[in-house]
Amino acid sequence: MAVLKPLLTETGAEPIGKLVIGTVKGDLHDIGKNLVAMMMEGAGFQVVDLGLDTQPEKFVNAVRELNPDLLGMSALLTTTMPAMGDTINALIEAGLRDRVKVMVGGAPVTQGFCDEIGADAYSPDAASAVDTALELVGAPKK
Amino acid sequence: MTPRESQSAIMTRSAAERYAERHRRYTTALRNGKPDRVPIRPFVAEFTARHAGVTCQQVTHDYRLAFEAVRRTAMDYDWDAVVSNMVYCWTGLTEAIGLKYYGVPGLHVPKDVGFQYREPPEEEAWMPPEDYDALIGDPTGYLLNVWLPRVSRDVVAPGAPNTARNNLSFLSGGMAMMSYFNAFGEQNRRLREECGVVPAIAGILKAPLDILADKLRGYLGLCSDLFERRDKVRAACEALMPHLFHVALSGADPNREVPIGFWMHRSCVPLVSPDDFNEFFWPTLKPIVLELWRLGHQVLFYAEGNWDAHLETFAQLPEGSIVFHVDRTDIFRAHRVLGHKFCLSGGVPNALLSYGRPEQIRARIRQIIDGVARDGGYIMDASAIIMNDAKPDNMRVLTDFTHEYGVY
């Protein structure tokens, strides 16, 4: 993306949406999250990467301050998956849940878990995450 | 004989009998045979802390406590084999050397989350791309003289001004290493003689391409290299082969009864392309596995992720030379492709053990035993290492239902 980004910027194309993304609290794994972030940038999204071990409050503050269309959360461990639900609850408490669509992913995450915690979408891999994101912001698939 | 000695003799004989029975069951399955029932060998990590009523931080900081938790859990659940200590990161050793790549519970992650590995951003990789020639020229020397000072807060590189912390890191690190690694012999003896449980694996193998991605260039760095410097990647993988073979052999079971653990992280599709797998991963791994097998050592492929695309390749290996552990690979496809030559293990999703209901676990176990274990050659386990979020009741269901439904 370091090579492609200036070329994308040169085209002057407006971002098709804004994504805030991070690996959840207690989890230091970020390969999957980085792949999703790169693919999203490549697809035309503006991406704000909060990094790893992201506390729910940090996600909430980012949603409040940056007003993204999408919030992406990643976890590699079954032990850290619950932090996704905690973050969604924190968004609800802050009155921000309706302002953003929440996407979740990572090796142990399933559609069932996504539904259980009240996320908007689950994607099993980076490529389908892009398709899902395009759908959520109402843009045509590429 | 005093009553106490008599009681001890009964206990000892009983543990010895249990060990003989479990050893026969486990090793028969390892060799793709049909034992009396499906053996249970869960890769239990921080779950043992939960069972023992302590935190992830405690078992990571105190290996004696970790060892005790393993013994207690294996005994209480009546398992056939366990890894001597799957929470293998001991803070006493990692902090003595000041290793930067561990995220330790209580220090860098919450005390109730298991230890993890940190991977720096691509531009701060432990090994920059200009170091390829140094690694290729002398891999072991490079790891000691260049890589170690980079991954340690205290070790200084040769030629740099010495420090007291550098001296102390070698002194205390060496003492910690001796203390910890020597203690495994006693832990294995106690598992066998007091608990009647088989230490499940011995030794460690990593594939050259995996170690390059995992601890040297990082995954993103390796992806760039696979476009920009393929010759260097190939040469580095080839150069690492003798070092990794030596590491595997030096920890292997001298009795050649239990397999060497081979931890596979980053080399399946789609993390690498099929072409890169065929060009880099397999040609620099296969000779190591073949040579270990020639020396009588079986290798347990802990196939993290989904390896569906590579099963036919693994099927080329000699009969009995590996055990294939299923994480997200299709276990029924793995059985069709590999089952006639190799034992399989795993396949019970960890999320099921953490969040599932007993009937869901029983259904999955029934599906696995009916689908892949009817003729033996299967060892019951979760898909991945079992952490402290697995529910004790669900682990009990896994155990009891396998005992009941897994009888041949």
Side-chain angles (χ1 to χ4, degrees):
Chain A
M1 280 315 293
V3 178
L4 291 178
K5 212 169 179 176
L7 300 174
L8 290 171
T9 311
E10 265 178 30
T11 65
E14 284 295 310
I16 55 177
K18 189 191 289 181
L19 165 75
V20 164
I21 192 168
T23 304
V24 298
K25 179 185 171 186
D27 202 317
L28 304 182
H29 299 89
D30 64 356
I31 290 178
K33 181 263 295 170
N34 292 344
L35 289 175
V36 172
M38 278 192 280
M39 298 276 288
M40 292 287 198
E41 276 194 304
F45 282 90
Q46 181 190 350
V47 176
V48 179
D49 187 349
L50 301 181
L52 36 77
D53 190 15
T54 309
Q55 307 288 321
E57 305 75 47
K58 193 169 175 185
F59 279 118
V60 169
N61 290 338
V63 170
R64 185 182 289 116
E65 289 161 19
L66 303 172
N67 202 24
D69 305 285
L70 304 169
L71 175 67
M73 289 188 277
S74 169
L76 186 81
L77 305 172
T78 47
T79 50
T80 55
M81 278 163 60
M84 293 177 170
D86 296 343
T87 303
I88 289 173
N89 289 337
L91 284 171
I92 293 168
E93 277 174 31
L96 297 169
R97 180 63 186 90
D98 297 337
R99 272 179 38 185
V100 67
K101 298 284 187 192
V102 176
M103 298 176 64
V104 293
V109 180
T110 61
Q111 183 63 53
F113 181 76
C114 164
D115 297 340
E116 197 178 305
I117 62 173
D120 295 296
Y122 155 74
S123 302
D125 55 57
S128 59
V130 171
D131 290 341
T132 306
L134 292 169
E135 213 166 283
L136 287 172
V137 299
K141 283 189 185 179
K142 297 195 171 179
Chain B
M1 193 180 278
T2 65
R4 189 180 175 136
E5 283 168 340
S6 171
Q7 177 68 21
S8 169
I10 291 167
M11 292 283 290
T12 305
R13 194 169 55 249
S14 170
E17 285 167 0
R18 284 200 305 274
Y19 176 76
E21 181 183 291
R22 288 167 174 162
H23 180 271
R24 197 164 43 245
R25 182 177 299 136
Y26 181 52
T27 55
T28 299
L30 285 173
R31 279 144 193 76
N32 211 20
K34 189 194 257 191
D36 58 337
R37 70 173 189 224
V38 171
I40 307 177
R41 181 231 51 210
F43 277 135
V44 272
E46 286 81 2
F47 177 74
T48 61
R50 179 172 184 166
H51 183 70
V54 296
T55 63
C56 296
Q57 180 179 11
Q58 284 172 289
V59 287
T60 312
H61 285 4
D62 182 349
Y63 70 78
R64 292 170 193 84
L65 193 62
F67 285 176
E68 191 184 322
V70 170
R71 294 194 302 271
R72 188 170 149 190
T73 311
M75 287 243 282
D76 289 352
Y77 277 90
D78 189 14
W79 291 328
D80 296 297
V82 291
V83 177
S84 313
N85 184 18
M86 201 68 240
V87 188
Y88 51 86
C89 165
W90 174 44
T91 321
L93 175 58
T94 61
E95 288 299 297
I97 310 173
L99 292 177
K100 297 178 202 167
Y101 59 73
Y102 282 105
V104 174
L107 296 180
H108 315 113
V109 293
K111 67 179 182 182
D112 273 322
V113 174
F115 77 89
Q116 297 166 52
Y117 290 97
R118 300 161 181 272
E119 183 160 316
E122 186 180 353
E123 57 282 7
E124 295 166 25
W126 305 124
M127 175 186 150
E130 55 271 23
D131 279 10
Y132 263 107
D133 287 340
L135 174 74
I136 293 162
D138 178 10
T140 306
Y142 177 83
L143 292 176
L144 180 65
N145 297 322
V146 182
W147 178 82
L148 180 60
R150 291 220 183 98
V151 300
S152 164
R153 289 189 299 272
D154 298 332
V155 175
V156 298
N162 195 15
T163 64
R165 291 199 70 87
N166 174 57
N167 292 340
L168 281 172
S169 72
F170 278 97
L171 181 66
S172 53
M175 289 168 67
M177 198 142 187
M178 277 179 61
S179 158
Y180 185 36
F181 282 74
N182 284 339
F184 273 95
E186 176 66 1
Q187 166 72 347
N188 288 347
R189 185 194 66 75
R190 294 186 71 176
L191 275 172
R192 283 192 301 266
E193 295 180 9
E194 294 176 15
C195 313
V197 173
V198 184
I201 53 174
I204 181 168
L205 173 64
K206 297 254 188 166
L209 189 68
D210 255 355
I211 208 80
L212 195 59
D214 202 10
K215 289 289 175 299
L216 294 163
R217 294 288 295 123
Y219 174 69
L220 294 180
L222 180 78
C223 289
S224 300
D225 297 345
L226 287 170
F227 283 97
E228 292 169 11
R229 43 188 80 84
R230 294 177 73 82
D231 289 348
K232 300 286 186 194
V233 172
R234 185 180 302 105
C237 287
E238 288 169 357
L240 282 163
M241 289 170 69
H243 180 92
L244 296 172
F245 170 75
H246 174 76
V247 170
L249 193 61
S250 62
D253 176 8
N255 296 323
R256 293 160 171 77
E257 290 174 345
V258 298
I260 297 168
F262 168 39
W263 308 96
M264 304 154 74
H265 304 307
R266 300 184 177 183
S267 298
C268 58
V269 171
L271 292 172
V272 300
S273 71
D275 287 347
D276 291 339
F277 176 92
N278 290 328
E279 190 175 338
F280 300 104
F281 180 83
W282 190 238
T284 54
L285 171 70
K286 186 179 176 186
I288 299 177
V289 176
L290 290 178
E291 183 59 10
L292 290 169
W293 181 239
R294 191 184 69 77
L295 297 171
H297 295 289
Q298 195 179 33
V299 175
L300 186 146
F301 278 37
Y302 180 83
E304 196 175 339
N306 184 338
W307 293 76
D308 281 352
H310 310 295
L311 297 176
E312 279 78 7
T313 305
F314 301 148
Q316 299 166 8
L317 291 167
E319 187 167 347
S321 58
I322 69 166
V323 175
F324 187 81
H325 179 82
V326 172
D327 175 14
R328 301 171 79 80
T329 301
D330 177 346
I331 195 167
F332 305 107
R333 184 167 140 64
H335 179 62
R336 281 197 302 277
V337 179
L338 301 174
H340 62 296
K341 291 178 98 172
F342 310 117
C343 170
L344 304 181
S345 67
V348 179
N350 290 64
L352 207 53
L353 296 172
S354 304
Y355 306 108
R357 297 187 304 277
E359 61 271 23
Q360 292 174 306
I361 296 166
R362 286 191 200 97
R364 179 61 179 168
I365 289 172
R366 193 179 287 115
Q367 201 181 28
I368 290 175
I369 291 179
D370 289 347
V372 313
R374 275 294 136 220
D375 298 320
Y378 172 76
I379 297 166
M380 181 56 67
D381 194 358
S383 295
I385 60 167
I386 302 169
M387 302 182 78
N388 54 317
D389 57 324
K391 283 185 191 156
D393 288 350
N394 284 349
M395 293 300 288
R396 181 57 68 193
V397 170
L398 173 96
T399 305
D400 291 348
F401 192 64
T402 304
H403 284 165
E404 178 192 325
Y405 196 70
V407 173
Y408 289 113

